Amino acid sequence: MDTRQWMSIMLFLSAGLMVVVACLSYRKRHLPVAKTMILIMLGAACYASGYAIELLSRSLSEVKLSLHIQYIGIPFVTTLWLLQIIQFTGTATRYRKQLTLTLFIIPCSIFIVHLTNDWHHLLYERYVLNTTGQIPLYLTVKGPWYKLHTIYNYAVLLGGIWLSVQMFLRALPMVRKQIAILLLGAIAPMLLNLCFWLGVKVDLTPFGFVISGLAYLWGILRFNLLRLTPLALAKVFETIRDGIVLLDYENRVVSYNGAAERVLPELGIAGRYPSLVAEVLPDHPELLARIEAAGTIDDRFPFERQHNGGTSYYHCSLSFIYDAGKVPIGKILMFSDITEMKENEARLRENARQLSELNAFKDKLFTVMAHEIRDPIALLVSLTELLGDELTAADIEHAELLRELRGQVQSTFYLVDNLLDWYRSQKGRVAFRPVGWNLQQVVHQAVALASTRAGMKQIRLSEQVSDELTIVADKEMLDLILRNLLSNAIKHTGIGGEIRIGAMLEGDSVIVNVSDNGTGIDKQTADLLRLEEPFFKVKANGDDTGDTRFGLVLTREFVRIQGGRLWFDSIPGMGTTFFFTLPRSPGSVGGQREIEYLKHEEKI
């Protein structure tokens, strides 16, 4: 075989290689860069196979036919390569369609001019038989459109190379390999084309596409050339909210994102990268010391920066970047903005300080109430009771008025007493010490204390509690529970009414009930109790239902502390029955071991 045949075989093989690259790219056809790669490789395959046919041609008509095949790819390959670089670098994203149409005006014109060249000879003025050698068979005299196309091609190549170099300087190491492969794919054919313009008679440009095809094939199989473009990585890099600075192993700044520039505006001032971090950030010696002192261990440290008259706080992490092996090739410095967290923390501390002061003031207030208000009211209760008895015995005219005054003073005293008991329970000042008690004895004591007030309204108190029932309870809390329930029953029972206290055993619990035949619970109080919402004394229409509500809330709280629950049945005009449970004692009276532990609060 002669030289012409060997060259043809090589060109056909290179065309086949480009078709293989196009097929590999077709698998990623959903990516714009892959679609462009397919068109580049098919155009280059037409160029190479057409030139192979030209080398085997025996006549001018065969040469012209081969040129038609070549010009399916020749006008478009370079422009498609520039379009691929634009897609990789993300240039003019908003005007991508308009830019693409503009770029392909001249290539489409060249294609049409070649098809009609025999009419106007603007691309090739004439074909001259080569009498000095075998390759090529015909020499061509170039026309003005051929020169225009050449200038346009080199301008496109230089523009693409410039964009690639700019992207290469700011790209991650993995992306740099992809950009280098794309540059090699364009530079190899360009250098061989320069040989043709420097006097070499044979157009070696198609052989440059052999190098391009091999480079692209290697890039696809080895470096995932079409899987993640630099544009995608750049977008991910830029959209990260944390500031990121990439450094090589020599502590030179390689790249950074916009968030890092907001943290360190000095990054945008430096003209060129890579640059030594000491030259870029000379005003941050502590940060430089951390970066330079890092051996092979990741580091975490705080960082502060003054911005616009305020202080910004950051949590910094310095981590090493490794290649495929275990050798570190660089560092990544990340700034996480924790300014808002710091400000919230400061506000919480201030709120906690204010709350502590308010609590201290509240404690003082209740202490004053306990000593300066409760004791005088208790004295007033005793004085009004004594004076009332004397006036009643003397049958003085205003004895009834004094009895009303005594009732109001007693009501106020009970409210204050309940309020102070509740306050101590909320502060943990009431010690919860459950021990075994005979329920009948506790009920007898509560009835005895309430009998005086019940007798004033001629209310009959009765209890039906077995002397065998024993419970585990805190005596002080149980007394308060019974006192409040009896006081509430006496208050809402008319003259000559009846109040009954009973108890029954149910499993491991004892159910205690306090029943009256009074007016029943008003609707507002009943609704609030069923919702189990906290409420306090609220006067309504001049009555004292607020006292009742507060006392019942306190009663329910203490029942819960005992491990039981409180509920009620009430019929307006017919009476109310309150039920509450207590844990049953497993032993006999007096044989219980005292259990002492801190009061446990539960939400109702």
Side-chain angles (χ1 to χ4, degrees), residues 446-505:
V447 169
L449 292 174
S451 60
T452 302
R453 188 179 178 191
M456 295 174 61
K457 297 178 69 174
Q458 299 177 5
I459 296 174
R460 186 169 65 90
L461 291 175
S462 63
E463 55 89 8
Q464 296 178 348
V465 179
S466 172
D467 60 356
E468 297 180 354
L469 286 178
T470 57
I471 46 92
V472 176
D474 181 283
K475 179 63 164 55
E476 292 184 1
M477 288 188 184
L478 183 56
D479 287 343
L480 187 143
I481 292 169
L482 292 171
R483 185 181 72 189
N484 275 334
L485 291 179
L486 288 172
S487 176
N488 179 71
I490 293 171
K491 183 181 297 184
H492 293 89
T493 302
I495 296 175
E498 182 181 5
I499 298 175
R500 297 184 303 274
I501 303 177
M504 60 177 293
L505 184 64

Side-chain angles (χ1 to χ4, degrees), residues 8 79 90 125 135 193 203 225 247 286 330 340 352-353 379 382 399 401 444 464 472-473 493 514 530 583:
S8 299
T79 306
E125 293 182 354
I135 304 175
N193 185 261
D203 186 4
L225 181 61
L247 305 101
E286 295 182 359
E340 185 176 355
R353 184 190 64 78
L379 179 60
S382 300
L401 181 61
H444 280 169
Q464 296 178 348
V472 176
T493 302
V514 179
R530 289 191 179 98

Side-chain angles (χ1 to χ4, degrees), residues 47 150 154 188-197 203-205:
Y47 188 3
T150 302
Y154 278 97
M190 183 183 70
L191 293 177
L192 293 178
N193 185 261
L194 283 174
C195 296
F196 181 71
W197 282 97
D203 186 4
L204 300 177
T205 306

Side-chain angles (χ1 to χ4, degrees), residues 4 163 188 204 339 342 407 530 574:
R4 182 183 302 176
L163 290 175
L204 300 177
T339 304
K342 284 281 188 180
R530 289 191 179 98
M574 297 185 65

